[in-house]
Amino acid sequence: MIEERTKELIHAAMDGELSGAEMAELEERLEESGEARRYQAGMRELDSFLGQLPPEVMPDGMHEKLTRAVTLPDRLAARPQAAGWPGFLRYGFAAAAGLLLAVGIYRFGWEATAPGDLDQMVGTMAPGNVVELDSFSFVSDSVGSSATLERRAGSLVLNVAIDSDEAVEIAIDFSGTALDFEVLAKTDNDLESFEYTSQAIRVRSRGRQKFAVLLHPDGTEPDRDGAISLEYSSDGRLIQQGTLVPRW
Amino acid sequence: MHKEIEFKLVEACKQGDRRAMDKLVREYERPVYNAAYRMLGNPDDAADIAQTTFIKAFEKLDSFNPRYRFFSWIYRITVNESINLLKRNQRSGPLAGNEAAAGPGPADIASAGETSREVQAALMALQEDYRAVIVLKYFTGCSYREMGDVLQIPEKTVKSRLFTARQQMKELLQADGLLQG
């Protein structure tokens, strides 16, 4: 007879929902009971069996049928510029590109690997309330991204999330903002590459990725109209541009 | 999809951005269709429920609570709509026209893999509450917390239902010779 508690632990372990202490408790219980081990093996067989079933294929033309059926509020027509890109700054990245130095993220001596770590790192360096200053997002056929600029005490944090089917280069230029690059933290997968100068960074990413760029004032008088520019491209083809205003 | 991107896409949809809508549909159409299929056991009904799900989700976008993930919301609509359809079909009975709720028809059986069909038969033998947790767990990859959000039940209840549902599925699949046990 297997105790219900043992069964509960076996199920929770299969779902990755056990704490370290519970895992140790389960191992002890399995050690003591052959019946529990057989039960676990049976449940694992079920778990593996169901987990390996291929998804059902959608009927042909399903996507088009779904998107045709959906209606959205017609708000863009009323203000065609609203969701677009007010005030693109089209100054390029080319001038800074020649100065870029290829370095690894690890050069900085630490690596934030999860949002919690990032919060801890940023919080340690710049404690205080988080105030969102500016943000933008876009979606193209193969890339979706959002970027948010936050103020944390005396520092600014630029959070970028990107989801792309292809390798995308993101050039971030803050030369017009009286801000200097301080450190970059990544929170998801490895970036394919990362280069920086004091006032610009270039990141190459593929798939789903999140990273944060910590910036600090360079000591000069900030230009109130200065903006951080972001340029997304793939194989030299421009995908999207945007700006974020620090709003000092 | 990152929560932040999902949120921005939802906000863009609220402004009428169809490209953002297309991206969200593309992200979730397969799990929604698969969840509906596994709840109903019939591809035509699953396609109808998927369509109803997305229509309702975008119609009521203003009532979407951003505290939750968008997928929690659409999976909830999918499961509820599927259960509603099953109940409607039970009330109307097989002679009223929809025989699909009792299981896949001959054409479906021919087109589906044998294993998939037998799993589907086992799923259809479960109570709807138990079927829903198996579907969310294995066909959408939801965690306990996400299943709780989708079904609007406490995590403790999710665990309890999944526990029972697995035991029943195991027995059904063993009886069919699909599992050794």
XYZ file of all heavy atoms in Angstrom, chain A residues 146-230:
651
model
N 9.791 44.448 -27.863
C 9.380 45.588 -27.060
C 10.607 46.109 -26.330
O 11.518 45.352 -25.985
C 8.287 45.189 -26.072
O 8.811 44.349 -25.073
N 10.630 47.411 -26.123
C 11.732 48.030 -25.381
C 11.138 49.035 -24.410
O 10.243 49.797 -24.770
C 12.698 48.720 -26.349
N 11.611 48.978 -23.189
C 11.091 49.867 -22.152
C 12.251 50.538 -21.442
O 13.219 49.874 -21.058
C 10.274 49.063 -21.119
O 9.280 48.319 -21.814
C 9.593 49.993 -20.136
N 12.142 51.838 -21.291
C 13.175 52.587 -20.569
C 12.633 52.940 -19.187
O 11.553 53.523 -19.070
C 13.516 53.861 -21.356
C 14.707 54.664 -20.847
C 16.000 53.859 -20.951
C 14.839 55.974 -21.623
N 13.394 52.566 -18.157
C 12.960 52.811 -16.779
C 14.004 53.641 -16.053
O 15.197 53.554 -16.357
C 12.828 51.492 -16.002
C 11.874 50.502 -16.562
C 11.997 49.135 -15.870
O 13.021 48.907 -15.168
O 11.097 48.336 -16.041
N 13.538 54.373 -15.077
C 14.480 55.057 -14.190
C 14.461 54.352 -12.839
O 13.394 54.089 -12.275
C 14.097 56.523 -14.006
C 15.111 57.269 -13.118
C 14.912 58.772 -13.109
N 13.585 59.117 -12.635
C 12.757 59.965 -13.236
N 13.120 60.541 -14.358
N 11.580 60.244 -12.736
N 15.648 54.004 -12.360
C 15.791 53.414 -11.028
C 16.797 54.267 -10.279
O 17.985 54.180 -10.540
C 16.292 51.980 -11.096
C 15.326 51.043 -11.804
C 15.781 49.616 -11.638
N 14.895 48.710 -12.366
C 14.515 47.520 -11.901
N 14.950 47.109 -10.742
N 13.724 46.745 -12.602
N 16.296 55.084 -9.379
C 17.154 56.034 -8.661
C 17.961 56.835 -9.681
O 17.398 57.432 -10.575
C 18.046 55.305 -7.661
N 19.280 56.827 -9.606
C 20.072 57.673 -10.488
C 20.428 57.037 -11.807
O 21.133 57.636 -12.608
N 19.985 55.807 -12.051
C 20.365 55.120 -13.286
C 19.151 54.878 -14.172
O 18.010 54.933 -13.721
C 21.014 53.772 -12.956
O 22.237 53.967 -12.302
N 19.435 54.605 -15.419
C 18.375 54.229 -16.354
C 18.607 52.788 -16.786
O 19.751 52.368 -16.969
C 18.396 55.129 -17.585
C 18.092 56.610 -17.360
C 18.003 57.332 -18.684
C 16.783 56.791 -16.606
N 17.515 52.064 -16.930
C 17.604 50.678 -17.375
C 16.762 50.538 -18.637
O 15.583 50.915 -18.651
C 17.087 49.697 -16.299
C 17.164 48.264 -16.810
C 17.892 49.841 -15.010
N 17.374 50.034 -19.683
C 16.661 49.763 -20.930
C 16.415 48.254 -21.013
O 17.357 47.468 -21.100
C 17.508 50.227 -22.122
C 17.012 49.836 -23.514
C 15.624 50.403 -23.782
C 17.989 50.313 -24.571
N 15.159 47.859 -20.924
C 14.796 46.442 -21.016
C 14.341 46.134 -22.439
O 13.477 46.826 -22.968
C 13.641 46.126 -20.062
C 14.046 46.249 -18.615
O 14.953 45.562 -18.161
N 13.404 47.155 -17.890
N 14.915 45.117 -23.019
C 14.544 44.745 -24.391
C 14.125 43.281 -24.410
O 14.822 42.422 -23.865
C 15.717 44.943 -25.377
C 15.322 44.521 -26.787
C 16.181 46.403 -25.374
N 12.981 43.020 -24.990
C 12.542 41.641 -25.237
C 12.377 41.474 -26.736
O 11.861 42.371 -27.407
C 11.220 41.369 -24.533
N 12.837 40.368 -27.263
C 12.728 40.148 -28.713
C 12.423 38.692 -28.989
O 12.887 37.802 -28.272
C 14.018 40.603 -29.448
C 13.855 40.409 -30.968
C 15.254 39.886 -28.920
C 14.905 41.118 -31.784
N 11.634 38.481 -29.991
C 11.264 37.137 -30.419
C 11.392 37.121 -31.938
O 10.638 37.810 -32.622
C 9.815 36.860 -29.982
C 9.459 35.399 -30.128
O 10.209 34.667 -30.789
O 8.427 35.002 -29.588
N 12.367 36.401 -32.456
C 12.597 36.479 -33.896
C 12.844 35.100 -34.488
O 13.452 34.237 -33.853
C 13.804 37.378 -34.185
O 14.967 36.823 -33.621
N 12.378 34.916 -35.697
C 12.618 33.660 -36.410
C 14.005 33.653 -37.033
O 14.524 32.601 -37.384
C 11.575 33.473 -37.521
C 10.167 33.418 -36.959
O 10.030 33.012 -35.792
O 9.223 33.791 -37.672
N 14.583 34.827 -37.221
C 15.878 34.938 -37.891
C 16.852 35.678 -36.980
O 16.454 36.231 -35.959
C 15.703 35.719 -39.198
C 15.111 37.094 -38.957
C 14.667 37.783 -40.239
O 15.359 37.638 -41.238
O 13.629 38.467 -40.218
N 18.128 35.694 -37.347
C 19.118 36.452 -36.585
C 18.874 37.944 -36.815
O 18.772 38.387 -37.960
C 20.523 36.075 -37.025
N 18.763 38.683 -35.731
C 18.463 40.113 -35.831
C 19.542 40.896 -35.099
O 19.946 40.536 -33.994
C 17.086 40.423 -35.209
C 16.834 41.925 -35.158
C 15.985 39.736 -35.999
N 20.012 41.969 -35.734
C 20.950 42.871 -35.069
C 20.187 44.058 -34.518
O 19.351 44.650 -35.215
C 22.003 43.363 -36.065
C 23.058 42.338 -36.363
C 24.339 42.976 -36.904
O 24.295 44.152 -37.306
O 25.363 42.284 -36.937
N 20.451 44.369 -33.271
C 19.827 45.540 -32.657
C 20.942 46.522 -32.339
O 21.842 46.215 -31.551
C 19.080 45.182 -31.367
C 18.167 43.985 -31.582
C 18.270 46.374 -30.873
C 17.605 43.429 -30.280
N 20.892 47.687 -32.961
C 21.877 48.738 -32.706
C 21.213 49.781 -31.812
O 20.194 50.351 -32.171
C 22.326 49.357 -34.019
N 21.807 49.996 -30.670
C 21.234 50.950 -29.714
C 22.246 52.073 -29.526
O 23.384 51.836 -29.117
C 20.936 50.267 -28.359
C 20.018 49.057 -28.586
C 20.297 51.253 -27.397
C 19.792 48.225 -27.330
N 21.829 53.279 -29.844
C 22.732 54.429 -29.820
C 22.190 55.452 -28.822
O 21.076 55.946 -28.986
C 22.792 55.026 -31.232
C 23.822 56.137 -31.334
O 24.220 56.674 -30.274
O 24.206 56.481 -32.457
N 22.979 55.747 -27.804
C 22.528 56.741 -26.829
C 23.494 57.927 -26.781
O 23.655 58.591 -25.764
C 22.332 56.123 -25.435
C 23.234 54.964 -25.133
C 24.450 55.154 -24.515
C 22.854 53.682 -25.485
C 25.281 54.081 -24.244
C 23.692 52.601 -25.224
C 24.904 52.795 -24.609
N 24.156 58.194 -27.919
C 25.160 59.270 -27.955
C 24.536 60.652 -27.779
O 25.218 61.583 -27.395
C 25.939 59.210 -29.278
O 25.052 59.304 -30.369
N 23.252 60.763 -28.042
C 22.629 62.094 -27.905
C 21.966 62.310 -26.566
O 21.153 63.230 -26.417
N 22.312 61.503 -25.586
C 21.509 61.536 -24.363
C 22.283 61.841 -23.089
O 21.706 61.830 -22.018
C 20.852 60.164 -24.158
O 21.885 59.182 -24.023
C 19.934 59.806 -25.298
N 23.552 62.095 -23.170
C 24.377 62.317 -21.972
C 24.373 61.100 -21.059
O 24.447 61.220 -19.840
C 23.908 63.547 -21.203
N 24.240 59.914 -21.699
C 24.266 58.667 -20.934
C 25.445 57.813 -21.404
O 25.787 57.817 -22.583
C 22.971 57.874 -21.147
C 21.714 58.457 -20.520
C 20.483 57.760 -21.083
C 21.759 58.318 -19.005
N 26.013 57.094 -20.485
C 27.072 56.145 -20.827
C 26.610 54.723 -20.537
O 25.864 54.481 -19.584
C 28.333 56.411 -19.981
C 29.241 57.427 -20.657
O 28.949 57.790 -21.819
O 30.204 57.851 -20.019
N 27.114 53.825 -21.352
C 26.844 52.410 -21.120
C 27.572 51.940 -19.863
O 28.748 52.244 -19.659
C 27.316 51.605 -22.335
C 27.310 50.122 -22.125
C 26.120 49.435 -21.990
C 28.501 49.411 -22.056
C 26.117 48.070 -21.796
C 28.503 48.046 -21.862
C 27.309 47.373 -21.733
N 26.866 51.198 -19.011
C 27.516 50.694 -17.803
C 27.669 49.177 -17.836
O 28.747 48.641 -17.646
C 26.709 51.109 -16.575
C 27.387 50.749 -15.266
C 26.822 51.554 -14.099
O 26.504 52.738 -14.284
O 26.685 50.981 -13.018
N 26.572 48.480 -18.103
C 26.661 47.028 -18.079
C 25.443 46.438 -18.802
O 24.411 47.093 -18.935
C 26.721 46.526 -16.611
C 25.358 46.571 -15.949
C 27.317 45.134 -16.507
N 25.594 45.230 -19.286
C 24.486 44.537 -19.933
C 24.218 43.233 -19.198
O 25.152 42.518 -18.839
C 24.809 44.252 -21.405
C 23.715 43.515 -22.184
C 23.620 44.071 -23.609
C 23.973 42.023 -22.268
N 22.956 42.958 -18.947
C 22.576 41.690 -18.316
C 21.622 40.964 -19.236
O 20.722 41.569 -19.808
C 21.902 41.954 -16.978
N 21.839 39.703 -19.404
C 20.914 38.918 -20.223
C 20.108 38.026 -19.305
O 20.564 37.643 -18.235
C 21.654 38.096 -21.265
C 22.475 36.955 -20.706
C 23.197 36.256 -21.823
C 24.028 35.106 -21.288
N 23.230 34.068 -20.651
N 18.906 37.726 -19.747
C 18.037 36.938 -18.872
C 17.532 35.658 -19.530
O 16.932 34.839 -18.874
C 16.822 37.764 -18.454
O 16.142 38.193 -19.621
C 17.245 38.962 -17.640
N 17.714 35.501 -20.804
C 17.250 34.274 -21.445
C 18.419 33.516 -22.064
O 19.349 33.163 -21.391
C 16.188 34.598 -22.495
C 14.822 34.775 -21.854
O 14.737 34.665 -20.620
O 13.855 35.025 -22.571
N 18.357 33.351 -23.372
C 19.383 32.556 -24.049
C 20.637 33.392 -24.318
O 20.647 34.596 -24.149
C 18.820 32.038 -25.365
C 17.549 31.282 -25.135
O 17.491 30.428 -24.276
N 16.499 31.629 -25.880
N 21.654 32.706 -24.779
C 22.864 33.415 -25.135
C 22.610 34.347 -26.316
O 21.922 33.973 -27.271
C 23.967 32.424 -25.524
C 24.521 31.714 -24.308
O 24.387 32.265 -23.207
O 25.073 30.623 -24.473
N 23.201 35.510 -26.252
C 23.195 36.390 -27.411
C 24.237 35.857 -28.382
O 25.273 35.333 -27.972
C 23.564 37.807 -26.991
C 22.558 38.527 -26.090
C 23.193 39.774 -25.485
C 21.314 38.885 -26.856
N 23.977 36.011 -29.687
C 24.957 35.531 -30.658
C 26.200 36.401 -30.636
O 27.306 35.918 -30.854
C 24.325 35.479 -32.050
C 23.259 34.389 -32.159
C 22.917 34.080 -33.598
O 23.440 34.739 -34.510
O 22.105 33.154 -33.797
N 26.029 37.697 -30.417
C 27.191 38.567 -30.253
C 26.779 39.833 -29.528
O 25.592 40.175 -29.469
C 27.819 38.921 -31.608
O 26.971 39.783 -32.324
N 27.787 40.507 -28.997
C 27.539 41.735 -28.256
C 28.777 42.620 -28.380
O 29.894 42.190 -28.101
C 27.265 41.399 -26.788
C 27.318 42.593 -25.879
C 26.444 43.652 -26.065
C 28.234 42.663 -24.856
C 26.495 44.757 -25.237
C 28.296 43.765 -24.023
C 27.427 44.824 -24.208
N 28.577 43.843 -28.855
C 29.682 44.789 -28.986
C 29.252 46.099 -28.345
O 28.055 46.404 -28.317
C 29.996 45.036 -30.463
C 30.331 43.797 -31.260
C 30.316 44.083 -32.750
O 29.238 44.419 -33.261
O 31.377 43.991 -33.374
N 30.233 46.890 -27.888
C 29.837 48.153 -27.268
C 30.912 49.206 -27.391
O 32.098 48.926 -27.557
C 29.507 47.937 -25.798
C 30.726 47.846 -24.901
C 31.085 48.914 -24.103
C 31.523 46.706 -24.901
C 32.205 48.844 -23.292
C 32.644 46.630 -24.103
C 32.984 47.707 -23.287
O 34.090 47.632 -22.510
N 30.462 50.440 -27.339
C 31.332 51.570 -27.026
C 30.700 52.242 -25.815
O 29.716 51.739 -25.273
C 31.384 52.587 -28.178
O 30.087 53.171 -28.327
C 31.811 51.940 -29.479
N 31.223 53.364 -25.404
C 30.628 54.012 -24.234
C 29.237 54.537 -24.546
O 28.424 54.728 -23.649
C 31.529 55.156 -23.755
O 31.585 56.163 -24.747
N 28.935 54.785 -25.829
C 27.644 55.393 -26.131
C 26.835 54.622 -27.174
O 25.924 55.178 -27.780
C 27.861 56.830 -26.603
C 28.428 57.690 -25.461
C 28.380 59.153 -25.766
O 28.766 59.557 -26.863
N 27.909 59.949 -24.821
N 27.176 53.394 -27.382
C 26.400 52.588 -28.330
C 26.650 51.111 -28.061
O 27.738 50.743 -27.608
C 26.793 52.921 -29.771
N 25.660 50.305 -28.298
C 25.882 48.862 -28.249
C 25.227 48.221 -29.457
O 24.307 48.781 -30.065
C 25.345 48.198 -26.951
C 23.835 48.285 -26.891
C 25.978 48.803 -25.726
C 23.264 47.460 -25.749
N 25.722 47.060 -29.816
C 25.131 46.297 -30.917
C 25.020 44.849 -30.451
O 26.000 44.266 -29.971
C 26.001 46.382 -32.165
C 25.362 45.740 -33.392
C 26.378 45.579 -34.507
N 26.821 46.852 -35.042
C 26.226 47.476 -36.061
N 25.185 46.943 -36.642
N 26.696 48.621 -36.497
N 23.831 44.322 -30.591
C 23.527 42.980 -30.108
C 23.006 42.162 -31.274
O 22.254 42.672 -32.110
C 22.451 43.054 -28.991
C 21.827 41.695 -28.740
C 23.035 43.609 -27.710
N 23.425 40.910 -31.351
C 22.861 40.018 -32.371
C 22.123 38.903 -31.646
O 22.684 38.247 -30.753
C 23.977 39.446 -33.243
C 23.489 38.620 -34.421
C 24.703 38.190 -35.247
N 24.381 37.145 -36.175
C 23.940 37.354 -37.407
N 23.772 38.582 -37.843
N 23.667 36.342 -38.211
N 20.865 38.695 -31.990
C 20.015 37.771 -31.248
C 19.183 36.936 -32.207
O 18.859 37.358 -33.313
C 19.096 38.589 -30.320
O 18.145 37.769 -29.715
N 18.838 35.752 -31.754
C 17.948 34.885 -32.536
C 17.012 34.186 -31.548
O 17.417 33.865 -30.438
C 18.759 33.847 -33.296
C 17.927 32.989 -34.251
C 18.726 31.793 -34.695
N 19.944 32.146 -35.421
C 20.011 32.278 -36.747
N 18.955 32.099 -37.484
N 21.159 32.577 -37.317
N 15.777 33.951 -31.936
C 14.815 33.289 -31.052
C 14.307 34.253 -29.994
O 14.220 35.460 -30.226
N 14.002 33.698 -28.838
C 13.460 34.528 -27.758
C 14.586 34.991 -26.846
O 15.389 34.191 -26.412
C 12.437 33.726 -26.945
C 11.227 33.367 -27.770
C 10.249 32.539 -26.989
N 9.170 32.112 -27.859
C 8.141 31.390 -27.459
N 8.043 31.017 -26.204
N 7.198 31.043 -28.312
N 14.588 36.255 -26.575
C 15.690 36.804 -25.800
C 15.215 38.000 -24.997
O 14.329 38.736 -25.435
C 16.809 37.226 -26.768
C 18.025 37.807 -26.114
C 18.722 36.821 -25.202
O 18.535 36.837 -23.994
N 19.517 35.933 -25.786
N 15.767 38.164 -23.818
C 15.544 39.365 -23.023
C 16.897 39.827 -22.501
O 17.713 39.006 -22.096
C 14.646 39.054 -21.822
C 13.189 38.969 -22.155
C 12.415 38.343 -21.022
C 12.146 39.294 -19.890
N 11.253 38.697 -18.878
N 17.107 41.119 -22.540
C 18.308 41.627 -21.903
C 18.034 43.034 -21.392
O 17.048 43.670 -21.782
C 19.503 41.602 -22.860
C 19.353 42.429 -24.100
C 19.710 43.767 -24.120
C 18.847 41.852 -25.258
C 19.563 44.523 -25.268
C 18.701 42.599 -26.418
C 19.058 43.939 -26.424
N 18.879 43.463 -20.486
C 18.729 44.791 -19.906
C 20.056 45.529 -20.011
O 21.118 44.934 -19.827
C 18.306 44.676 -18.451
N 19.972 46.789 -20.337
C 21.167 47.626 -20.456
C 21.094 48.680 -19.361
O 20.117 49.428 -19.282
C 21.224 48.315 -21.838
C 22.504 49.129 -21.957
C 21.118 47.301 -22.954
N 22.107 48.706 -18.524
C 22.158 49.702 -17.456
C 22.983 50.885 -17.949
O 24.110 50.719 -18.423
C 22.783 49.086 -16.205
C 22.700 49.924 -14.930
C 21.258 50.140 -14.514
C 23.455 49.225 -13.805
N 22.409 52.090 -17.850
C 23.060 53.308 -18.322
C 23.218 54.268 -17.147
O 22.400 54.248 -16.216
C 22.193 53.973 -19.407
C 21.817 53.093 -20.595
C 20.714 53.752 -21.410
C 23.031 52.832 -21.468
N 24.245 55.093 -17.205
C 24.378 56.094 -16.154
C 24.756 57.440 -16.781
O 25.363 57.473 -17.864
C 25.415 55.661 -15.109
C 26.799 55.640 -15.627
N 27.379 54.512 -16.153
C 27.747 56.609 -15.723
C 28.608 54.783 -16.535
N 28.850 56.047 -16.288
N 24.416 58.549 -16.127
C 24.730 59.871 -16.685
C 26.230 60.026 -16.873
O 27.014 59.599 -16.025
C 24.204 60.833 -15.608
C 23.199 60.051 -14.831
C 23.671 58.636 -14.857
N 26.615 60.643 -18.019
C 28.054 60.792 -18.285
C 28.623 62.068 -17.682
O 29.798 62.396 -17.879
C 28.325 60.732 -19.793
C 27.699 61.912 -20.547
O 27.137 62.815 -19.887
O 27.788 61.918 -21.783
N 27.805 62.816 -16.979
C 28.285 64.016 -16.290
C 28.096 65.291 -17.082
O 28.260 66.384 -16.551
N 27.723 65.184 -18.355
C 27.490 66.387 -19.155
C 26.030 66.802 -19.021
O 25.184 66.023 -18.557
C 27.811 66.140 -20.640
O 26.931 65.109 -21.125
C 29.252 65.666 -20.800
N 25.758 67.998 -19.456
C 24.384 68.507 -19.385
C 23.513 67.745 -20.389
O 23.811 67.712 -21.576
C 24.372 69.999 -19.738
C 23.036 70.692 -19.573
C 22.559 70.761 -18.124
O 23.402 70.668 -17.195
O 21.348 70.860 -17.919
N 22.436 67.110 -19.929
C 21.621 66.347 -20.883
C 20.818 67.249 -21.814
O 20.340 68.292 -21.398
C 20.680 65.549 -19.969
C 20.636 66.293 -18.684
C 21.936 66.993 -18.550
N 20.748 66.815 -23.062
C 19.894 67.497 -24.039
C 18.471 67.002 -23.815
O 18.192 65.808 -23.916
C 20.373 67.123 -25.449
C 19.470 67.698 -26.531
O 18.448 68.317 -26.176
O 19.791 67.505 -27.709
N 17.575 67.900 -23.520
C 16.217 67.469 -23.158
C 15.499 66.794 -24.326
O 14.531 66.088 -24.132
C 15.397 68.642 -22.639
C 15.911 69.143 -21.304
C 14.913 70.003 -20.563
N 15.396 70.250 -19.211
C 15.197 69.434 -18.183
N 14.517 68.334 -18.354
N 15.669 69.716 -16.986
N 15.959 67.072 -25.539
C 15.339 66.413 -26.697
C 16.104 65.168 -27.131
O 15.735 64.518 -28.096
C 15.276 67.391 -27.878
C 14.392 68.598 -27.555
O 13.389 68.390 -26.841
O 14.716 69.705 -27.988
N 17.181 64.872 -26.427
C 17.989 63.720 -26.827
C 17.226 62.415 -26.648
O 16.440 62.259 -25.710
N 17.467 61.493 -27.555
C 16.730 60.228 -27.505
C 17.666 59.059 -27.757
O 18.685 59.195 -28.450
C 15.612 60.224 -28.541
N 17.338 57.941 -27.185
C 18.043 56.691 -27.486
C 17.429 56.140 -28.765
O 16.201 56.051 -28.872
C 17.863 55.679 -26.342
C 18.479 56.222 -25.055
C 18.459 54.327 -26.715
C 18.150 55.374 -23.827
N 18.255 55.794 -29.714
C 17.691 55.231 -30.944
C 17.944 53.725 -30.991
O 18.990 53.252 -30.526
C 18.300 55.889 -32.186
O 19.603 55.426 -32.400
N 16.991 53.015 -31.503
C 17.120 51.568 -31.682
C 16.862 51.244 -33.140
O 15.915 51.777 -33.741
C 16.124 50.797 -30.812
C 16.335 50.904 -29.306
C 15.463 52.002 -28.730
C 16.023 49.575 -28.625
